Amino acid sequence: MNKFTLEYAQQLDAQDPIAHMRDEFYIPKQDNGEDEIYLCGNSLGLQPKKTSEYLNYELSQWQKLGVKGHFSGDYPWMPYHEFLADESAKLVGAKPSEVVCMNSLTANLHFMMVSFYQPSAKRHKILIEDHAFPSDHYAVESQVKFHGYDPKESMLLVKPRDGEDTIRTSDLLKIIEEQGDEIALIMLPGVQYYTGEVFDMQAITQAGHAKGCKVGFDLAHAAGNLVMSLHDWQVDFAAWCSYKYLNSGPGSVAGCFVHEKHHDNKDLPRFAGWWGHDKETRFEMENTFIPMQSTEAWQLSNPPILSLAAIRASLDTVKMAGGIETLRKKSIKLSAYLREILMQELSSQISIITPESEEQSGAQLSIIVNTGDGKIIFDEIEAKGVTCDFRHPNVIRVAPVPLYNSYTDAYQFVSILKEALV
Ligand SMILES: *Cc1c(COP(=O)(O)O)cnc(C)c1O
């Protein structure tokens, strides 16, 4: 049977147990009034319909109660971040006490490095990818310099082999095995933003720990996308933003994980603030910092409640869909369908650099256009209602998001790309 037909795609949608979740989101419209084919949820996730309700509730609490809103209402602001802990923990496979929503992603990476990057003359390197997301590169470079080391010596940059697009796990493990004694910190993504490659976080963590390295992950493209077990994997720390697969709105507050084995380590350096102080005595306003016995200890400030309300709305939609495991199940099928019809129709004109196996890919395909100018093709498909993104020099990234994308979206995307490549 030919799977590249509208009927076939519609049939898959009809069989999709969570197809109705699309109605929980606002889908941007094209000029002709039809839904955009929105495949950009890896950059900015769409707005859940609940978001404005949850935000408006907090605005009205503020209107009616002023400062008393900190302690009154269904969701008092004082403990507001606690309302997010259970569902955030499920997303990354952690205990609720190991996660907290605070700050922004890059800020959290810095705060984590303050605690987990303790270079010494013998062990001063940070292992990251050569083609890391720029913010991560800058953060690592500036931390190295801050400690008085030379980024040229202390940044160990891993890249794919010549002629390959993604990094082999075996190569990573070999570097860790050979140079681990000099590596203070391994900081890698859960999902590589450009190629969509999923890293084997468990194997990397194990290899790093065997050599005495700390291991942290940037989960910007993994949170809300993959099923993870940070606690069981013994990962030291992780941080993620909430506006990509977590649909909490532009610049919304980020997430952070610190393994509980570090919670009562008094030797760990930390940049502290009052929101990290033991909540029982926080308002006694004493000068002695007594940290919370949880990842909350890394909090600095009282958090932006409106942003946390948006995160609560987003976490509720994930829960309503049946949780991350259910999303991942659909995601695997949806991505496989998209890949299959892309290769069936366009294999002579494109290649997909995202690894094909289930273990090594999530809800993103990175497509290289081999014929013509990638940017011109990209502009053409955008004009026809597709929203996805283009990364220089020639990669089109598309993210079929299980919460709101349909098999019909996948079909339409391939039809439009096919027309543009004629
Ligand atoms: C999206 C993304 C960021 C963005 O950082 P912000 O601090 O949220 O602006 C950083 N790193 C990675 C890997 C990303 O994918």
Side-chain angles (χ1 to χ4, degrees):
M1 191 205 301
N2 182 8
K3 295 185 180 174
F4 183 59
T5 65
L6 182 57
E7 292 68 35
Y8 188 84
Q10 286 171 338
Q11 192 187 322
L12 291 175
D13 283 325
Q15 293 162 359
D16 171 9
I18 58 167
H20 60 279
M21 288 308 297
R22 183 177 173 93
D23 300 332
E24 298 294 324
F25 289 85
Y26 293 104
I27 311 289
K29 301 280 184 209
Q30 305 178 44
D31 292 342
N32 65 11
E34 285 179 25
D35 286 353
E36 277 181 16
I37 298 132
Y38 193 86
L39 297 169
C40 217
N42 56 340
S43 187
L44 185 71
L46 293 178
Q47 184 182 134
K49 290 185 179 163
K50 282 171 177 287
T51 306
S52 49
E53 181 197 322
Y54 288 19
L55 255 66
N56 282 329
Y57 177 78
E58 299 312 328
L59 287 172
S60 81
Q61 289 296 93
W62 179 26
Q63 283 162 19
K64 289 187 281 199
L65 300 170
V67 71
K68 295 189 185 108
H70 282 299
F71 305 100
S72 333
D74 295 339
Y75 296 95
W77 305 327
M78 252 288 288
Y80 201 100
H81 67 276
E82 296 174 19
F83 306 134
L84 311 176
D86 285 355
E87 296 306 318
S88 298
K90 285 180 198 162
L91 286 178
V92 296
K95 294 186 177 181
S97 62
E98 291 175 315
V99 296
V100 68
C101 295
M102 62 179 189
N103 310 317
S104 57
L105 169 55
T106 307
N108 284 342
L109 292 176
H110 273 295
F111 292 124
M112 290 296 101
M113 283 190 274
V114 165
S115 293
F116 295 105
Y117 177 53
Q118 292 305 313
S120 63
K122 186 166 176 307
R123 189 190 283 277
H124 54 90
K125 293 185 180 172
I126 301 184
L127 175 85
I128 67 163
E129 331 143 68
D130 186 43
H131 200 39
F133 194 92
S135 202
D136 300 45
H137 187 101
Y138 306 150
V140 164
E141 185 173 48
S142 57
Q143 285 281 337
V144 165
K145 285 187 187 162
F146 176 76
H147 284 280
Y149 290 86
D150 177 358
K152 279 205 228 47
E153 305 284 320
S154 299
M155 285 172 77
L156 185 51
L157 305 172
V158 272
K159 38 176 147 208
R161 294 183 184 187
D162 283 346
E164 297 186 5
D165 296 302
T166 51
I167 296 174
R168 298 187 193 195
T169 305
S170 55
D171 286 354
L172 262 176
L173 299 182
K174 190 157 171 268
I175 293 173
I176 295 169
E177 169 64 29
E178 287 172 359
Q179 303 185 52
D181 294 339
E182 295 175 0
I183 299 171
L185 172 65
I186 296 168
M187 202 172 88
L188 290 167
V191 178
Q192 216 285 342
Y193 80 98
Y194 184 78
T195 63
E197 174 184 18
V198 172
F199 284 81
D200 187 338
M201 291 177 254
Q202 184 174 18
I204 292 165
T205 305
Q206 215 169 28
H209 285 169
K211 284 287 177 175
C213 323
K214 291 285 187 288
V215 184
F217 291 98
D218 182 328
L219 303 179
H221 287 262
N225 177 7
L226 306 177
V227 176
M228 293 174 277
S229 304
L230 299 187
H231 176 85
D232 289 344
W233 296 342
Q234 296 287 323
V235 170
D236 292 297
F237 71 85
W240 56 94
C241 52
S242 65
Y243 50 79
K244 291 173 179 168
Y245 294 102
L246 289 177
N247 309 311
S248 301
S252 194
V253 166
C256 194
F257 163 91
V258 178
H259 199 281
E260 70 177 356
K261 66 190 171 193
H262 299 300
H263 288 175
D264 61 3
N265 180 354
K266 293 180 182 58
D267 300 329
L268 219 51
R270 170 162 51 213
F271 284 174
W274 75 318
W275 229 249
H277 187 284
D278 176 29
K279 66 180 177 181
E280 305 305 330
T281 55
R282 185 180 300 152
F283 287 89
E284 289 171 15
M285 309 303 235
E286 296 291 347
N287 276 345
T288 309
F289 180 74
I290 303 170
M292 298 278 297
Q293 291 299 299
S294 65
T295 300
E296 291 163 291
W298 276 265
Q299 295 177 114
L300 302 178
S301 303
N302 75 103
I305 297 299
L306 295 179
S307 178
L308 295 192
I311 296 178
R312 193 165 70 78
S314 152
L315 293 172
D316 273 7
T317 57
V318 173
K319 191 175 176 187
M320 194 192 294
I324 186 69
E325 289 82 5
T326 308
L327 293 181
R328 176 69 174 145
K329 243 183 237 165
K330 171 174 172 185
S331 177
I332 290 169
K333 278 192 191 161
L334 180 58
S335 294
Y337 176 65
L338 175 57
R339 181 187 285 269
E340 188 176 345
I341 57 176
L342 271 170
M343 293 323 281
Q344 180 186 313
E345 298 301 311
L346 297 169
S347 62
S348 59
Q349 288 137 301
I350 62 159
S351 38
I352 297 173
I353 59 175
T354 311
E356 185 163 0
S357 78
E358 225 176 277
E359 298 73 40
Q360 285 179 290
S361 59
Q364 176 183 322
L365 293 180
S366 300
I367 301 167
I368 293 191
V369 177
N370 295 321
T371 51
D373 182 326
K375 182 66 170 68
I376 292 172
I377 308 280
F378 173 77
D379 291 342
E380 223 172 296
I381 63 175
E382 271 221 314
K384 291 191 173 147
V386 173
T387 300
C388 57
D389 93 2
F390 182 77
R391 290 285 146 141
H392 288 283
N394 64 344
V395 167
I396 293 175
R397 298 186 307 168
V398 291
V401 171
L403 267 172
Y404 49 75
N405 282 124
S406 61
Y407 293 86
T408 303
D409 283 336
Y411 167 79
Q412 285 178 328
F413 167 71
V414 178
S415 306
I416 292 168
L417 182 61
K418 193 174 169 183
E419 265 175 43
L421 285 169
V422 168

